[in-house]
């Protein structure tokens, strides 16, 4: 484990704990060579501009070249961005990432003629020609999707103008990222032993898990005090992002930013509203859980900084990274030998960047290019939460691995709506395995609390985030002006709603929105909650050995973007067009709360 008193530089970390980006490019010279190829690859696509209507073979050839082009562009961007994520302070990789974004803007602009030209051709003619042109059927779903969104597709000139603004439209998110990952610095606080330790985003949750309430409060207050120093800038960035979303939704003839976002996945707005309404209706059960936790902690009042406090001691702390991998491997055995072999390949083949280092991007993610294996960024601290994070991100990684092995590039980028299913299935199976295999009553109490915390963090918290996003976007769309004060008020009142009377809603929490990166990928977080609900059902079937549940799930992982997300999930037995999966998940939560209560 790394020394908590000093955040190490990247050079101080053993190479075995770093991802191997040379699997993408052996050298930056290779990156430059690919970058220099783009103009020729782009010309192979743009030579068909104005000619798609002449012959369906032109559409087929254009799309083949489009795939070759984007495969390389993706690889260029993934490499540069992940190099930057290793150390955001390095201007060299800031420059490469900026160069990549400029390239993406240029390419997006140049190829923007494809959709408008296709939608101006008779759909039946294109599909009839697929029967005679060998290989053309590959693009049937892709072209069907273009026609589905025809009313929101603009003219070629308008599409070019929008594409040219791509880089500018990401400014608020990029500025937030630099502010959040580089510029904001946190003070040192005293740990449980009285040692002065640097507070970082990666260590924040570890401090909140302290047995000492003073440590928890110090971490909480100091974190938000640091964000408060930038609160006006952060509010301006968030407001700018909301206005950007409104602009794009209006330009594409959508009634709202929410509808615009959901339509990319062919998701009806009722799915979003069902989530908020069903979770809101079940908040009394959540409040009951919080009250039980307060009693177990022996507190007169539960503060927001007490939510991560351990209700029992456990041997599962300061867990070595290698031990964490063993735990995950053992727990996921129900997914079959093939899955486990691929999991071990990821563990042992340079997929993962493990420890927090100075100026490294915070949090965790899985990403990669189609032509290489997936990658996982971690900021591992040794807690049970960190083990869950590894299982979560490897769920994403193996979803990508299976998809890329099975699907052509055109269907390899599965929608985020289904991505969170794969990650959460792993988490759910992991915690069920740990609970079912402990004979220690204290350990069971600890693990049940951890599982209930997953519901709190993924279902309740992300739904609160989703409602927040809905409210602030609706405010702007109705002509109201968002301000720092109104954003704080909206967020604070949502905390009161979701946490109820069992929790003291500390004033500092009104600024929590200011540190959430996902708010710059608007209407993303609800997918965590819907994904959690779908995954809970899938994991339950797998663990209980329901016939074909594992094979259906593996086939789902191999499906990529070959069908609409809702339809792909239906093949696993989950229909999110109804409130039923959300309510079933809430029923599981209620049963867990009842079991937890018996342990008081």
């Amino acid at each position: 484990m790394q020394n908590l008193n000093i955040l190490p530089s990247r050079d101080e970390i053993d190479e075995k704990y770093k991802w191997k980006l040379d699997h993408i490019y052996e050298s930056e010279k290779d990156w430059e060579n690919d970058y220099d190829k783009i103009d020729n690859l782009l010309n192979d696509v743009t030579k068909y501009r104005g000619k798609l209507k002449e012959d369906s073979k032109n559409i087929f050839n254009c799309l083949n070249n489009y795939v070759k082009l984007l495969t390389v562009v993706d690889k260029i961007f993934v490499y540069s961005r992940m190099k930057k994520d290793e150390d955001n302070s390095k201007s060299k990789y800031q420059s490469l990432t900026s160069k990549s974004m400029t390239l993406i803007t240029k390419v997006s602009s140049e190829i923007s003629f494809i959709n408008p030209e296709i939608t101006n051709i008779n759909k039946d003619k294109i599909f009839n020609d697929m029967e005679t042109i060998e290989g053309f059927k590959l693009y049937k779903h892709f072209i069907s999707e273009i026609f589905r969104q025809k009313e929101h597709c603009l003219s070629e000139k308008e599409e070019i103008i929008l594409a040219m603004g791509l880089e500018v439209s990401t400014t608020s998110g990029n500025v937030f990222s630099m502010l959040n990952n580089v510029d904001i610095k946190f003070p040192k606080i005293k740990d449980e032993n009285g040692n002065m330790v640097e507070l970082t985003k990666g260590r924040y949750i570890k401090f909140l898990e302290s047995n000492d309430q003073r440590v928890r409060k110090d971490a909480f207050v100091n974190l938000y005090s640091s964000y408060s120093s930038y609160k006006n800038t952060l509010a301006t960035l968030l407001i700018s992002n909301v206005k950007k979303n409104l602009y794009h939704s209006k330009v594409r003839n959508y009634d709202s930013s929410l509808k615009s976002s959901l339509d990319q996945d062919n998701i009806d707005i009722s799915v979003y509203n069902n989530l908020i309404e069903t979770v809101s209706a079940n908040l009394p059960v959540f409040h009951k859980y919080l009250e039980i936790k307060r009693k177990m902690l022996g507190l007169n009042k539960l503060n927001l900084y007490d939510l991560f406090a351990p209700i029992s001691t456990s041997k599962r702390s300061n867990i070595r990274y290698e031990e964490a991998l063993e735990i995950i491997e053992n727990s996921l055995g129900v997914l079959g030998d093939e899955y486990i072999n691929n999991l071990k390949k990821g563990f042992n083949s340079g997929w993962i960047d493990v420890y927090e280092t100075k100026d490294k991007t915070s949090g965790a993610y899985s990403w990669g290019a189609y032509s290489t294996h997936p990658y996982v960024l971690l900021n591992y601290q040794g807690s049970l939460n960190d083990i869950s994070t590894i299982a979560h991100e490897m769920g994403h990684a193996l979803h990508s691995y299976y998809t890329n092995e099975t699907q052509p590039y055109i269907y390899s980028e599965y929608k985020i709506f289904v991505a969170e299913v794969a990650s959460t299935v792993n988490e759910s199976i992991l915690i069920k395995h740990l609970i079912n295999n402990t004979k220690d009553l204290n350990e069971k109490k600890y693990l049940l609390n951890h599982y209930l915390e997953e519901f709190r963090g993924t279902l309740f918290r992300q739904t609160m985030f989703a409602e927040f996003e809905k409210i602030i976007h609706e405010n702007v769309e109705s002509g109201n002006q968002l301000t720092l004060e109104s954003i704080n008020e909206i967020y604070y009142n949502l905390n009161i709603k979701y946490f109820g009377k069992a929790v003291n809603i500390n004033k500092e929490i009104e600024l929590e929105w200011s540190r959430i990166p996902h708010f710059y990928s608007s209407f993303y977080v609800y997918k965590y909650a819907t994904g959690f609900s779908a995954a809970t059902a899938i994991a339950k079937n797998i663990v209980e050995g329901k016939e074909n549940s594992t094979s259906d799930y593996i086939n789902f992982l191999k499906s990529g973007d070959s069908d609409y997300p809702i339809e792909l999930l239906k093949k696993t037995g989950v229909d999110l067009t109804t409130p039923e999966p959300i309510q079933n998940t809430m029923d599981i939560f209620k049963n867990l709360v009842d079991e937890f209560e018996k342990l008081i």
Side-chain angles (χ1 to χ4, degrees), residues 287 290-291 294 301-302 496-497 499-504:
H287 299 162
L290 295 171
E291 178 61 21
R294 181 194 66 76
K301 194 73 174 178
L302 192 67
I496 292 174
K497 169 187 171 179
F499 287 102
K501 295 181 180 179
V503 180
N504 177 38

Side-chain angles (χ1 to χ4, degrees), residues 178 196 202 217 237 240 243 253 265-266 271 287 351 356 377 422 470 509 524 537 600:
M178 291 304 294
M196 295 303 294
K217 182 177 181 180
L237 291 173
S240 297
K243 289 181 176 179
N253 304 311
D265 295 339
N266 196 23
V271 173
H287 299 162
W351 292 20
E356 182 182 20
L377 178 138
K470 187 171 186 281
I509 204 63
Y524 178 109
I600 296 180

Side-chain angles (χ1 to χ4, degrees), residues 189-194 203-219 293 297 299 305-313 317 383 385 446:
I189 65 170
K190 285 185 180 180
D191 66 11
E192 294 174 342
N193 300 314
R203 294 171 181 167
Y204 176 60
I205 297 300
K206 193 172 183 67
F207 284 127
L208 291 188
E209 292 173 340
S210 171
N211 286 301
D212 188 334
Q213 189 181 49
R214 191 268 310 160
V215 173
R216 301 196 297 266
K217 182 177 181 180
D218 283 356
K293 185 160 189 176
L297 289 170
L299 299 172
Y305 49 77
D306 296 320
L307 292 175
F308 288 89
I311 51 85
S312 67
T313 56
S317 59
S383 69
N385 278 329
Y446 178 89

Side-chain angles (χ1 to χ4, degrees), residues 147-163:
F147 277 103
R148 183 184 69 80
Q149 299 189 64
K150 182 176 180 178
E151 66 178 297
H152 306 293
C153 183
L154 307 179
S155 70
E156 181 182 339
K157 287 184 178 179
E158 290 168 332
E159 290 288 350
I160 289 172
I161 292 170
L162 274 183

Side-chain angles (χ1 to χ4, degrees), residues 53 56 59 117-129 143 147 150:
K53 62 183 178 182
S56 290
I59 301 175
E117 285 197 34
I118 287 178
T119 56
N120 284 323
I121 304 170
N122 182 277
K123 179 181 177 181
D124 291 337
K125 180 185 183 306
I126 295 176
F127 288 162
N128 286 336
D129 288 343
I143 292 175
F147 277 103
K150 182 176 180 178

Side-chain angles (χ1 to χ4, degrees), residues 1 53-54 123 132 137 161 187 195 288 303 317 348 352 389 417 428 435 507 513 520 534 545 551 564 586 599-600:
M1 296 298 297
K53 62 183 178 182
E54 295 176 3
K123 179 181 177 181
T132 59
K137 278 188 179 179
I161 292 170
N195 299 315
K288 178 184 177 181
N303 290 282
S317 59
N348 301 317
I352 307 175
T389 297
F417 190 88
S428 185
I435 291 171
K507 181 67 174 173
W513 59 265
Y520 294 88
S551 59
Y564 297 117
M586 296 305 311
L599 299 178
I600 296 180

Side-chain angles (χ1 to χ4, degrees), residues 84-129:
K84 174 178 171 290
D85 286 344
E86 291 178 352
D87 186 344
N88 285 276
S89 68
K90 288 192 174 181
S91 59
K92 176 180 182 180
Y93 297 115
Q94 293 175 20
S95 176
L96 282 188
T97 301
S98 177
K99 193 174 176 180
S100 297
M101 279 303 302
T102 300
L103 177 68
I104 289 172
T105 300
K106 174 185 174 181
V107 169
S108 298
S109 174
E110 290 292 321
I111 66 176
S112 60
F113 72 91
I114 294 175
N115 286 18
E117 285 197 34
I118 287 178
T119 56
N120 284 323
I121 304 170
N122 182 277
K123 179 181 177 181
D124 291 337
K125 180 185 183 306
I126 295 176
F127 288 162
N128 286 336
D129 288 343

Side-chain angles (χ1 to χ4, degrees), residues 215-391:
V215 173
R216 301 196 297 266
K217 182 177 181 180
D218 283 356
F220 182 85
V221 170
N222 280 285
L223 183 92
Y224 287 110
S225 176
S226 299
Y227 279 96
S228 181
S229 299
Y230 298 89
K231 61 186 178 183
N232 291 295
T233 300
L234 289 161
T236 300
L237 291 173
L238 183 63
I239 293 166
S240 297
N241 194 66
V242 172
K243 289 181 176 179
K244 178 258 294 184
N245 294 335
L246 176 59
Y247 164 74
H248 281 283
S249 65
K250 283 186 172 181
V251 166
R252 292 204 175 276
N253 304 311
Y254 286 101
D255 294 338
S256 68
S257 299
L258 177 59
K259 286 185 178 179
S260 175
S261 176
L262 267 58
D263 193 48
Q264 307 311 305
D265 295 339
N266 196 23
I267 304 294
D268 189 84
I269 199 168
S270 63
V271 173
Y272 199 96
N273 291 332
N274 278 340
L275 171 67
I276 294 174
E277 290 165 8
T278 307
V279 170
S280 295
N282 286 274
L283 284 175
V285 181
F286 181 48
H287 299 162
K288 178 184 177 181
Y289 160 63
L290 295 171
E291 178 61 21
I292 294 169
K293 185 160 189 176
R294 181 194 66 76
K295 291 179 181 178
M296 284 188 167
L297 289 170
L299 299 172
N300 292 327
K301 194 73 174 178
L302 192 67
N303 290 282
L304 288 168
Y305 49 77
D306 296 320
L307 292 175
F308 288 89
I311 51 85
S312 67
T313 56
S314 171
K315 62 183 179 182
R316 300 184 188 278
S317 59
N318 295 320
I319 302 160
R320 289 187 309 107
Y321 174 67
E322 288 77 9
E323 183 184 351
L325 302 188
E326 290 179 13
I327 292 170
I328 293 167
E329 183 183 332
N330 290 335
S331 69
L332 297 182
V334 291
L335 291 173
D337 292 341
E338 178 190 320
Y339 190 93
I340 292 300
N341 288 336
N342 289 328
L343 181 76
K344 290 164 70 174
K345 185 186 298 182
F347 287 162
N348 301 317
S349 304
W351 292 20
I352 307 175
D353 204 77
V354 180
Y355 291 116
E356 182 182 20
T357 53
K358 183 175 173 57
D359 295 322
K360 179 181 174 180
T361 290
S362 61
Y365 67 66
S366 173
W367 200 26
Y370 179 74
S371 55
T372 64
H373 59 72
Y375 286 89
V376 168
L377 178 138
L378 302 173
N379 282 278
Y380 186 76
Q381 301 288 327
S383 69
L384 187 57
N385 278 329
D386 289 304
I387 298 178
S388 292
T389 297
I390 297 172

